[in-house]
Amino acid sequence: MNLNPLLQALDLQEDAARALADDLRTQIDALQSQLREAELRLEHLAITRTTITGLADRIPAQTVDPAGSLELPEHPDYPRILAVFNDTPGPLKARDICQALDFELLPKHVERTRAKMKRLVTMGILTEAEPGTFSRKQ
């Protein structure tokens, strides 16, 4: 009996199994690398959560006055900005507020007003439906 064809068939099977094992090792290496990256990301997120919760007690709470409205930051422009929203229907831009408050339409005035309006958005008083367009929260 001639064993050469049988040995050749066995060689082919060994080569295929070796190629599969090599391919699986490559996939395992890639997955281990992805796993290390995901674990590192989780670690960073945990550190961020710890940092934020550690700082949470330093952030002043929004207080409510007896009338039930939010206490505004201590700057005379905030009530004036809200008064413009109360008097004007529809969304407004920082430029519109500056005009209503008789500010010069200089970039520094418009940007300061926009920053105040964004702070009012953060406080939940205004909404920003589109970038730069603000309206009173319903």
Side-chain angles (χ1 to χ4, degrees):
M1 174 168 169
N2 189 0
L3 293 177
N4 280 340
L6 185 57
L7 292 174
Q8 287 176 347
L10 187 59
D11 285 342
L12 287 175
Q13 296 245 340
E14 283 178 342
D15 290 344
R18 190 172 290 112
L20 178 61
D22 289 343
D23 185 46
L24 290 173
R25 280 188 203 94
T26 302
Q27 290 178 32
I28 288 170
D29 289 343
L31 289 172
Q32 285 178 333
S33 175
Q34 290 175 2
L35 178 61
R36 280 190 298 274
E37 289 174 15
E39 287 173 339
L40 182 62
R41 178 77 175 135
L42 283 171
E43 185 180 331
H44 288 170
L45 290 170
I47 291 168
T48 301
R49 179 178 300 279
T50 302
T51 303
I52 289 172
T53 55
L55 294 174
D57 61 342
R58 296 181 188 178
I59 298 172
Q62 291 180 345
T63 57
V64 178
D65 69 17
S69 63
L70 283 174
E71 191 174 298
L72 295 174
E74 292 184 28
H75 192 282
D77 285 346
Y78 286 98
R80 295 176 66 206
I81 290 170
L82 291 179
V84 173
F85 277 100
N86 291 337
D87 295 340
T88 309
L92 297 169
K93 295 183 175 282
R95 184 177 188 84
D96 302 328
I97 298 292
C98 286
Q99 285 178 327
L101 298 177
D102 293 324
F103 292 157
E104 286 185 74
L105 294 179
L106 298 173
K108 67 179 182 178
H109 295 290
V110 174
E111 289 307 315
R112 281 186 202 145
T113 303
R114 182 177 292 112
K116 288 178 178 114
M117 292 165 68
K118 286 200 178 271
R119 185 165 188 195
L120 291 170
V121 168
T122 303
M123 294 175 69
I125 297 171
L126 298 180
T127 60
E128 187 176 13
E130 296 176 19
T133 304
F134 301 87
S135 58
R136 187 76 191 234
K137 195 168 189 175
Q138 300 300 326

